[in-house]
Amino acid sequence: AEPALAEQAVYISRLWLLRFEHTLDPGPIDHQAFVCGHDLVHVPDGDESKLQMISQPVWKELYEKYGGGPTLTSPIQCENCMRELAELNRRRDREHRIVHESDKTYVDPGHSWFIIDKRWLSTWLAFVNEEAQGPIPGPITNERLLKEDGVTPKEGLERGQSYRGVNKEVWSIFHSIYGGGPIIERQKLDIYSAPPPSRSQAALSFSAQPRVSRMT
């Protein structure tokens, strides 16, 4: 059955309109980009420009010929998605704040550096960045830095390019939220330097399973 139409106008995908104008068979009207995981219409901020307002008669003609949809009577946002986004942004702010408060450019005498995969750290930085708003990182991927034995560093790793160093507090925050590993602890900020004497080979190759964040 034909979907309900707004009294004044309907919105349609500009991308589909381009196909309609330049191809013989544009296929069904495709608005799936504006349907969220809750199976509701959701047009994120900034995506209104991807839609073109057309009249009811034009929509009716196009819909009857090509089908598809759903009908977009207004560029609304899903309330469930907006609540989830707000919670995700609170998480971003919370993680950024507690890491920033614990981060240092040095470690105190007798304390260790904890090596962390630069690629994973970049993913986390994109996640907490207010503008980038990247996806939630997966478990820490320090195994990328090690040979198959899970202990020996691969050759050619460069500090700042392949890995970074964080203090114990920051490592504990990351690991408690994301899990992964393994732990790579060093007396100096150099993955090829010696681990602290107190750490055994078994401890060095330990890798905890990912855990769900319990931060509030």
Side-chain angles (χ1 to χ4, degrees):
E2 178 187 339
L5 298 176
E7 293 183 2
Q8 300 297 325
V10 180
Y11 291 83
I12 192 168
S13 165
R14 289 182 182 271
L15 181 60
W16 187 86
L17 281 178
L18 282 174
R19 292 202 298 268
F20 171 74
E21 293 171 357
H22 298 286
T23 64
L24 294 176
D25 183 11
I29 301 170
D30 185 5
H31 284 166
Q32 288 307 304
F34 308 106
V35 177
C36 68
H38 305 103
D39 202 27
L40 298 171
V41 172
H42 178 66
V43 182
D45 288 334
D47 279 8
E48 296 92 340
S49 61
K50 299 178 181 179
L51 297 171
Q52 174 70 49
M53 184 183 292
I54 59 175
S55 67
Q56 281 192 48
V58 172
W59 167 262
K60 182 177 181 179
E61 182 180 347
L62 291 173
Y63 180 80
E64 288 179 346
K65 184 173 182 178
Y66 296 103
T71 305
L72 303 179
T73 56
S74 64
I76 61 175
Q77 295 178 328
C78 167
E79 292 184 1
N80 294 327
C81 287
M82 297 307 294
R83 281 194 296 269
E84 291 173 0
L85 179 60
E87 175 55 36
L88 188 60
N89 286 334
R90 285 192 291 270
R91 173 178 171 175
R92 288 187 171 105
D93 293 341
R94 187 166 58 242
E95 289 189 23
H96 184 269
R97 173 176 49 80
I98 63 172
V99 169
H100 179 73
E101 290 173 351
S102 300
D103 194 23
K104 297 178 181 178
T105 58
Y106 64 90
V107 294
D108 296 322
H111 292 251
S112 301
W113 288 100
F114 287 77
I115 304 298
I116 193 163
D117 176 28
K118 174 67 179 300
R119 184 183 296 180
W120 184 90
L121 186 60
S122 296
T123 302
W124 180 81
L125 288 170
F127 168 62
V128 298
N129 183 279
E130 185 175 350
E131 294 184 0
Q133 294 193 344
I136 299 173
I140 299 168
T141 52
N142 276 359
E143 70 276 0
R144 294 184 60 253
L145 306 174
L146 304 174
K147 294 184 177 181
E148 292 183 1
D149 62 7
V151 175
T152 308
K154 294 178 179 178
E155 290 85 2
L157 301 176
E158 297 183 17
R159 188 177 74 186
Q161 297 297 320
S162 307
Y163 65 90
R164 299 286 296 272
V166 297
N167 60 34
K168 184 177 181 179
E169 290 76 14
V170 173
W171 170 263
S172 296
I173 292 167
F174 284 147
H175 197 262
S176 67
I177 299 171
Y178 296 102
I183 297 171
I184 306 175
E185 186 177 352
R186 295 292 187 265
Q187 297 179 74
K188 299 179 181 180
L189 186 44
D190 180 356
I191 196 170
Y192 299 107
S193 64
S198 60
R199 291 197 62 83
S200 66
Q201 292 296 96
L204 281 170
S205 60
F206 171 77
S207 175
Q209 295 297 317
R211 290 175 286 178
V212 176
S213 170
R214 295 184 178 273
M215 296 173 58
T216 58

